[in-house]
Amino acid sequence: MVRGALHGQSGKGGLVLVPEWTSTVAAPRLARLLGPQCLSAPGPAYRSLAGGIRLLVAEGRLPVGTRLPAERELAAALAVSRTTVAAAFEALRGEGYLASRRGAGSWTALPEGHPVPTAGLRPLSAEQAARMIDLGTASLPAPQPWMTRATREAVEDLGAYCGAHGHYQAGLPALREALAARFTGRGVPTMPEQILVTGGGAMSALGLVFRMLIGQADRVAVEAPSYANVLMMLERAGARRVPVGICARGWDLEAWRRVLRDAVPRLAYVVPDFQNPTGVLVGEEQRRELVGQARAAGTVVVADETMVDLAMEPGLRMPRPMAAFDRGGSTVVTVGSAGKVFWGGLRIGWVRASPSLVRRMAAERTYVDLGTPVLEQLVTLRLLTRYREEVTRFQCERVRGNRDALVAALRRTLPRWEFTVPSGGLTLWVRTDGVSGPRLAVAGERVGVMVASGPRFGVDGAFEPYLRLPLTVGEEVSGEAVARLAAAARMVQAGGAADVEGEVFVA
């Protein structure tokens, strides 16, 4: 059962509903997460057990706010005495990694003062870019000469639209038709009436979807880790985020089944294609199963496809989209963007959903922005219909070269850092050999490299020893960027970066 004690005061003196725990972990599953080696370390068994649980929390594999099994149940699953488990729990409570209340059990926590991100990611300013290597922003430069060509052609096309008001609440009809045809070509039959085009890129599209489908204190299941700016958007919308683990093999379907059954979240937000930040490509059968589980639970799946076209390996066979498994058409809402494979400066995003939801979203825009700029839509239309294959090939080759250069530099300079080389996308998820990600971010700014620390991609400060590195700099920059990261790591280990990442230190 997913619930929690409700307590606290709002800024206006009203009651805030704050769950002390948001999900549960059964004793057999926790034993599997800990692994057989957990109790084999030298010293008292309770210390080894406490250390294993502490590591799971710090790395985000056991989300903050997870209710732990009863002492007797965990002792049986681990084949240790109940006294050992009780002593481990007491040690964790003393360190701040466990909270308890009589009648409510014990749930994972983080110590007071642990760095918790207070802002999303943003690009470097022009002033910062002059002195800083940007390893925080996962966006590519515009593909030339195609961007210039498409813009010139779009300007020539603009005259045909200048005789009207220019407000297309659902998007230009021609662009909606092109996007529908693209979905149909990928195995998801789609009508233009199922497409809504947004300004502001995928973030604008997601914001509109969230406004339509969730309310204050609604639960939203999210991958752990997940995209930092969406996590922040959900938090500011008042949603209760329920994290579910993702690993190199894809989604933890056992955990998803439990969360969908017990939490019954209103929405589930996932990035199945080269997930941000891990780069994981989720397989087709996992997609099918998650859509089926969500349908049974009455949960709407919001599938973020912003990375879908950035497959780096030639001949890689992409799984079918999430929407291909939604026969009824009401379980999956798909969000896409021109920002990754074309250019972030276009700020064009889109939503594929049922015609009724598209009509509701278009009506909602009357009170927000009335529509999306026409010229940018025409540029996107040209890129999508005339230059898509050339641009996609060019950008994927660019990213592959960036990835190989960054991987080589990391292995040469920081060989103890761990990562899985992704087959697509724009991100590398790096475990920093125990060095604090937030403190690395602070030290990095001091030595001239901007990075995004792991806790930005978790709920409540998880993923402390991680960084997300974008695959956006080439060989000529990668070596210097990693050298600066190594200098930052030495500074942290020497105690020279005591401050933690906050509003100032983001990218």
Side-chain angles (χ1 to χ4, degrees):
M1 183 73 176
V2 177
R3 60 176 184 267
L6 307 179
H7 62 93
Q9 297 294 321
S10 72
K12 297 182 179 179
L15 188 66
V16 175
L17 305 184
V18 182
E20 290 176 325
W21 49 275
T22 58
S23 60
T24 63
V25 59
R29 175 169 175 75
L30 181 53
R32 290 196 298 272
L33 287 170
L34 289 166
Q37 74 282 358
C38 171
L39 299 175
S40 61
Y46 83 89
R47 288 184 182 173
S48 297
L49 176 56
I53 294 175
R54 186 191 311 113
L55 182 63
L56 290 175
V57 174
E59 294 191 347
R61 288 183 286 161
L62 195 61
V64 173
T66 299
R67 185 178 186 271
L68 297 187
E71 294 172 1
R72 189 185 305 277
E73 295 173 357
L74 184 57
L78 294 172
V80 298
S81 70
R82 183 177 176 181
T83 302
T84 296
V85 175
F89 280 16
E90 184 60 32
L92 290 167
R93 277 190 287 269
E95 297 169 357
Y97 284 92
L98 200 65
S100 303
R101 176 169 294 179
R102 187 180 299 276
S106 299
W107 56 93
T108 56
L110 287 172
E112 187 175 349
H114 185 92
V116 178
T118 56
L121 307 176
R122 62 175 182 263
L124 288 174
S125 66
E127 294 77 14
Q128 290 173 311
R131 59 180 177 81
M132 194 88 64
I133 296 175
D134 187 356
L135 287 185
T137 304
S139 294
L140 293 168
Q144 294 288 34
W146 301 280
M147 181 60 66
T148 297
R149 291 176 187 170
T151 302
R152 288 172 176 165
E153 293 166 4
V155 170
E156 294 175 359
D157 295 339
L158 185 62
Y161 296 87
C162 289
H165 50 62
H167 297 159
Y168 297 89
Q169 289 174 295
L172 285 183
L175 182 53
R176 296 174 74 195
E177 290 172 7
L179 290 167
R182 175 72 177 133
F183 274 107
T184 300
R186 295 171 58 213
V188 186
T190 302
M191 304 179 295
E193 291 79 9
Q194 292 177 268
I195 301 293
L196 180 135
V197 181
T198 66
M203 289 300 291
S204 176
L206 287 164
L208 187 56
V209 170
F210 294 157
R211 283 198 302 275
M212 299 303 298
L213 296 182
I214 61 174
Q216 187 77 18
D218 279 346
R219 292 189 181 97
V220 178
V222 296
E223 296 160 319
S226 186
Y227 179 44
N229 286 347
V230 171
L231 292 178
M232 190 58 61
M233 179 188 290
L234 289 169
E235 181 181 52
R236 292 183 175 179
R240 297 164 61 184
R241 303 162 300 174
V242 182
V244 190
I246 187 169
C247 64
R249 297 183 301 278
W251 292 321
D252 184 338
L253 289 174
E254 180 183 344
W256 272 106
R257 188 178 302 111
R258 186 173 58 254
V259 165
L260 289 170
R261 180 194 65 222
D262 294 345
V264 195
R266 177 80 172 176
L267 290 185
Y269 169 74
V270 296
V271 188
D273 304 290
F274 312 123
Q275 197 253 4
N276 186 355
T278 64
V280 169
L281 177 63
V282 177
E284 193 162 297
E285 287 308 309
Q286 288 191 329
R287 299 176 187 221
R288 184 196 308 274
E289 184 169 346
L290 182 58
V291 172
Q293 291 178 14
R295 184 186 301 115
T299 298
V300 175
V301 177
V302 179
D304 184 336
E305 287 192 343
T306 52
M307 299 284 187
V308 69
D309 290 316
L310 288 170
M312 285 181 263
E313 304 302 336
L316 178 65
R317 184 176 180 274
M318 291 294 292
R320 283 183 289 172
M322 297 285 288
F325 308 106
D326 180 22
R327 294 182 180 179
S330 60
T331 299
V332 176
V333 173
T334 304
V335 169
S337 169
K340 298 304 181 183
V341 75
F342 294 149
W343 186 41
L346 286 171
R347 309 310 306 141
I348 295 294
W350 53 82
V351 180
R352 180 199 182 274
S354 66
S356 62
L357 180 56
V358 167
R359 287 192 297 270
R360 288 171 53 204
M361 288 190 293
E364 174 72 12
R365 296 186 74 182
T366 302
Y367 313 105
V368 180
D369 59 12
L370 293 177
T372 303
V374 173
L375 182 58
E376 283 83 345
Q377 290 187 81
L378 290 172
V379 175
T380 302
L381 177 62
R382 286 287 182 165
L383 289 168
L384 189 65
T385 58
R386 180 166 294 187
Y387 301 117
R388 183 182 63 82
E389 290 187 8
E390 294 172 83
V391 168
T392 301
R393 188 181 311 114
F394 174 82
Q395 294 288 59
C396 288
E397 290 175 357
R398 170 187 271 179
V399 177
R400 183 167 62 248
N402 293 348
R403 178 199 64 183
D404 294 347
L406 182 61
V407 164
L410 286 168
R411 287 175 172 165
R412 181 173 61 250
T413 307
L414 292 162
R416 294 175 64 87
W417 288 19
E418 300 173 3
F419 50 84
T420 298
V421 179
S423 59
L426 282 173
T427 58
L428 189 68
W429 186 237
V430 180
R431 189 174 186 275
T432 61
D433 192 34
V435 183
S436 166
R439 287 174 170 79
L440 265 171
V442 173
E445 180 166 344
R446 296 175 183 174
V447 299
V449 61
M450 183 73 77
V451 293
S453 70
R456 295 199 173 281
F457 303 89
V459 174
D460 296 325
F463 302 105
E464 169 83 7
Y466 285 85
L467 295 177
R468 187 201 72 173
L469 303 181
L471 308 177
T472 53
V473 295
E475 184 174 0
E476 67 283 0
V477 179
S478 290
E480 177 60 24
V482 173
R484 295 185 188 186
L485 278 178
R490 291 192 295 271
M491 183 184 295
V492 172
Q493 290 167 329
D499 297 333
V500 297
E501 192 175 8
E503 290 282 355
V504 177
F505 306 111
V506 294

